[in-house]
Amino acid sequence: MSTSGEVSLTERELAELEAWSGDRPERAVRVAIVRDAAAGLSVSRSAHRLGVSRPTVSAWRQRYAADGLAGLEHRPRSGRPVRVDEADVVAATLAGPPSPQRAWSARALADHLGISHTTVGRVWQRWRIRHDGPTAPVCLPLEPPLACARPELLATWARADGAAFLVVADAVPSGRPRTGAATADERRMRYAALGA
């Protein structure tokens, strides 16, 4: 395969490209870029016609010329994940920081989870978690919203398809703030109460 971005397509390759793109718009744009290259359109004309940048057109042309259909696939990126599991952020917030701290700051929790502090802030805003910690009221984003005045994390669970679940309960006021997670007996008792 060529690395200069020059592309020529056979009928079979055209059929493979069309089958690969399916009904996915981002793939359809990549296929159109390759087809424009095969038709001899300049990078500028292709970019203008498709409404994308010239570097985008050049990159996809070069990748297809170098690696064929496999070059049009997304490559793994280094760095932080694109999508953050909100359940992880909420669970870590409700579980609380290591002793002697009483509440997470957005920056401390972000460093702990390996995400940005602005992401933590957005999750806290969506879940209505205040920065003063897990003793503040939480409003779970359900329909209708579920308010939890003294949230306490009891359990977390995740499925293979990416769905995550939190078991949160309203803590019974004891007159003193909780410094750690609920004990196993407390979690069983609260889980039985939730089931009832």
Side-chain angles (χ1 to χ4, degrees), residues 2 4 10 13 36 42 46 55 58 62 69 73 88 90 92 99 103 120 140 155 164 172-173 184 189:
S2 165
S4 65
T10 65
E13 290 169 331
D36 285 354
S42 70
S46 182
S58 294
Q62 289 172 358
L69 199 55
E73 294 286 349
D88 286 344
V90 174
S99 206
V120 170
L140 305 178
V172 178
M189 179 184 71

Side-chain angles (χ1 to χ4, degrees), residues 86-155:
E86 290 187 9
D88 286 344
V89 176
V90 174
T93 302
L94 295 178
S99 206
Q101 287 180 294
R102 295 180 57 118
W104 286 109
S105 69
R107 289 186 189 275
L109 182 58
D111 287 345
H112 175 73
L113 296 175
I115 59 177
S116 76
H117 70 279
T118 55
T119 301
V120 170
R122 281 194 299 270
V123 172
W124 281 359
Q125 184 177 17
R126 180 169 141 65
W127 286 71
R128 297 183 189 158
I129 297 173
R130 294 197 330 240
H131 68 85
D132 50 352
T135 57
V138 173
C139 188
L140 305 178
L142 305 170
E143 283 298 326
L146 176 63
C148 195
R150 293 169 308 277
E152 185 174 318
L153 179 67
L154 300 180

Side-chain angles (χ1 to χ4, degrees), residues 1-189:
M1 294 250 154
S2 165
T3 57
S4 65
E6 296 174 13
V7 176
S8 62
L9 298 173
T10 65
E11 290 298 318
R12 191 180 117 250
E13 290 169 331
L14 278 171
E16 287 174 350
L17 281 168
E18 294 304 321
W20 176 81
S21 72
D23 291 332
R24 296 174 63 179
E26 75 280 1
R27 287 185 171 189
V29 169
R30 293 177 212 161
V31 168
I33 288 170
V34 172
R35 290 183 78 136
D36 285 354
L41 260 67
S42 70
V43 170
S44 295
R45 280 195 64 177
S46 182
H48 181 65
R49 186 179 83 76
L50 297 171
V52 297
S53 70
R54 288 190 313 264
T56 299
V57 172
S58 294
W60 289 118
R61 282 183 176 196
Q62 289 172 358
R63 285 178 59 172
Y64 184 80
D67 300 320
L69 199 55
L72 297 181
E73 294 286 349
H74 277 296
R75 295 179 180 158
R77 294 181 177 181
S78 63
R80 295 185 173 132
V82 175
R83 190 169 167 272
V84 173
D85 189 349
E86 290 187 9
D88 286 344
V89 176
V90 174
T93 302
L94 295 178
S99 206
Q101 287 180 294
R102 295 180 57 118
W104 286 109
S105 69
R107 289 186 189 275
L109 182 58
D111 287 345
H112 175 73
L113 296 175
I115 59 177
S116 76
H117 70 279
T118 55
T119 301
V120 170
R122 281 194 299 270
V123 172
W124 281 359
Q125 184 177 17
R126 180 169 141 65
W127 286 71
R128 297 183 189 158
I129 297 173
R130 294 197 330 240
H131 68 85
D132 50 352
T135 57
V138 173
C139 188
L140 305 178
L142 305 170
E143 283 298 326
L146 176 63
C148 195
R150 293 169 308 277
E152 185 174 318
L153 179 67
L154 300 180
T156 62
W157 181 65
R159 288 194 321 220
D161 67 0
F165 302 92
L166 299 174
V167 178
V168 178
D170 246 351
V172 178
S174 64
R176 62 183 174 86
R178 176 179 291 282
T179 57
T183 66
D185 289 337
E186 287 175 297
R187 285 195 292 272
R188 278 192 285 276
M189 179 184 71

